[in-house]
C-alpha cells in the first residue's frame, strides 16, 4: 500500500511539473480562453516533457550506478 | 471529533493560502515585466493576471486528462 | 490563538514574496542607496502586488468551488 | 530488520524519483526554449537533455574535488 | 536548560547559514550575468553583491512599514 | 557531533548551490563533454561564487546585528 502511495506521489509530481513547464512554454500572454493553437501546443509539449522525463530517468539511473 | 474537523479545516485553509501565494508569484512574474510607474495595475495587467490563473487551471485539467487516457 | 498564527504566517509570507518580487521589479542594478525613484517604484509595486494577490485570492476561491 | 531495510530502500527510491523530477525540470528549462510545434523532441533537443544531465554531474564532480583540495 | 539554550543557538545558526545561501544565490543571479573569465569578482560585481543585500534589506523594511501603516 | 553535522550540511548546501549556479553560468548549451574552456569557466566561477558567499556572510552578519 505504501508502495502505491509512492507511485501516486510520483505521478502527481510529474503532473505538477509538466503543467507548470508546459503552461510557461505555451501560454506566453494569457488570454480569455485556450484556443486550438494553445491546446495543440500543450498536448505536444506534454508528450515532449514525458520524453525528457524518460531520458533523464534512464540517464540518471546509469550515472547513479557509477 | 469536532476538534479534529476544526484542525482539518484550518489545515485546508493554510494550504489554500499557500496556493494563493504561489499562484500570485507565478502570475506576477508572467504578467508584470516592466518596473512599476503607477500605484495600480493597468487594465491589461489586471486581465492578464485573472486569465493567467484560469488558463493555468485549464492547462492542469488537460494534463490530468492526457495522463488518465494514458496518452503520454 | 492558533488561528492568529495562521493569519500571521499568511501576512509574513505576503511580505516575503512582495519584498522579493518588488526588489526584482525595481532594483535592476543595486547601487549605494535607495534613491527617490527606487522608493517610489517599491511603494507602487507593493500596491500593485497586493492588488494582484487580491485578484488571485478571489479567482482561486471561485475556481476551487467548481 | 527486513522491514527497516525495505523502508530504507523505499526512501531511497522516493529520493531518486524526486531527483529525476528536479533534473528533468532543470534540463527542460535549459534545452527547450521555443513553444512546442511537434509531439516529439528534435534530435538536437534530445541530445541536449542527455548531455545536460551528464555535464551537470561532471560539474558537480569538479566542484566536489575543488572543495576537497581546499582550492576555493 | 543550558542544553535547550544550546539547541536554540544551533537552530538559529543553521537558519542564519540557510539565509546566507539563499541571499548569495539571489544576488549572484542579479549581479553575475556573464560566464566567468577570471578567478575573482570584478570590483563592479563585488560592489553589486554588497549593495544587493543592503538594498534587499532596505526594500524589506519599506514593505514592513507599508504593511504596518496599512498603506497597502 | 551535531555541530559537525551542521557544518557538513552547510558545505553540502554550498556545493549544491555552487554546482547549479556555475553549471548555468558556464554550460549554455550542453555538449558531449566538458572541454577546456568549460573546465576553466567552472573553476573560475567556483572561486567567484565562494567570494560572493563570503561577502554575503560578512554583510549579512553586520546587518543582522542592527
Amino acid at each position: 500500500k505504501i508502495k502505491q502511495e509512492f507511485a501516486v506521489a510520483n505521478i502527481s509530481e510529474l503532473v505538477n511539473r509538466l503543467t507548470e513547464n508546459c503552461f510557461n512554454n505555451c501560454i506566453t500572454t494569457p488570454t480569455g480562453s485556450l484556443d486550438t493553437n494553445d491546446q495543440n501546443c500543450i498536448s505536444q509539449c506534454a508528450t515532449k516533457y514525458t520524453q525528457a522525463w524518460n531520458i533523464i530517468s534512464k540517464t540518471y539511473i546509469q550515472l547513479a550506478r557509477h | 471529533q469536532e476538534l479534529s474537523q476544526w484542525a482539518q479545516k484550518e489545515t485546508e485553509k493554510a494550504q489554500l493560502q499557500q496556493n494563493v501565494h504561489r499562484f500570485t508569484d507565478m502570475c506576477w512574474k508572467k504578467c508584470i515585466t516592466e518596473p512599476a510607474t503607477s500605484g495600480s495595475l493597468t487594465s491589461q495587467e489586471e486581465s492578464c493576471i485573472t486569465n493567467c490563473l484560469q488558463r493555468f487551471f485549464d492547462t492542469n485539467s488537460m494534463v490530468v486528462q492526457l495522463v488518465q487516457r494514458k496518452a503520454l
Side-chain angles (χ1 to χ4, degrees), chain A residues 6-26:
Chain A
F6 275 131
V8 169
N10 198 31
I11 288 293
S12 152
E13 179 77 12
L14 178 61
V15 166
N16 288 344
R17 302 240 182 195
L18 206 162
T19 299
E20 211 169 298
N21 279 300
C22 290
F23 176 70
N24 282 327
N25 183 260
C26 296

Side-chain angles (χ1 to χ4, degrees), chain A residues 35-57:
Chain A
D35 64 25
T36 319
N37 279 341
D38 297 335
Q39 290 180 22
N40 286 342
C41 181
I42 290 165
S43 155
Q44 289 167 340
C45 174
T47 319
K48 287 175 73 172
Y49 194 88
T50 310
Q51 284 177 19
W53 182 63
N54 283 323
I55 294 173
I56 295 288
S57 297

Side-chain angles (χ1 to χ4, degrees), chain B:
Chain B
Q1 201 183 349
E2 270 177 35
L3 188 70
S4 95
Q5 275 181 2
W6 175 85
Q8 202 192 325
K9 264 195 187 166
E10 288 299 313
T11 307
E12 275 166 22
K13 218 172 89 186
Q15 181 61 49
L16 186 147
Q17 288 178 344
Q18 196 49 41
N19 283 342
V20 169
H21 286 301
R22 189 161 73 85
F23 291 133
T24 304
D25 198 300
M26 178 184 85
C27 293
W28 175 268
K29 286 186 170 76
K30 201 174 229 1
C31 296
I32 316 295
T33 50
E34 297 293 311
T37 55
S38 113
S40 66
L41 296 167
T42 66
S43 64
Q44 222 176 346
E45 289 167 339
E46 203 177 313
S47 68
C48 180
I49 283 178
T50 313
N51 290 332
C52 167
L53 188 64
Q54 291 173 342
R55 297 303 77 72
F56 183 84
F57 272 60
D58 290 349
T59 305
N60 189 248
S61 299
M62 271 195 69
V63 170
V64 168
Q65 278 173 32
L66 289 166
V67 167
Q68 283 171 344
R69 286 197 277 125
K70 308 198 178 197
L72 296 183

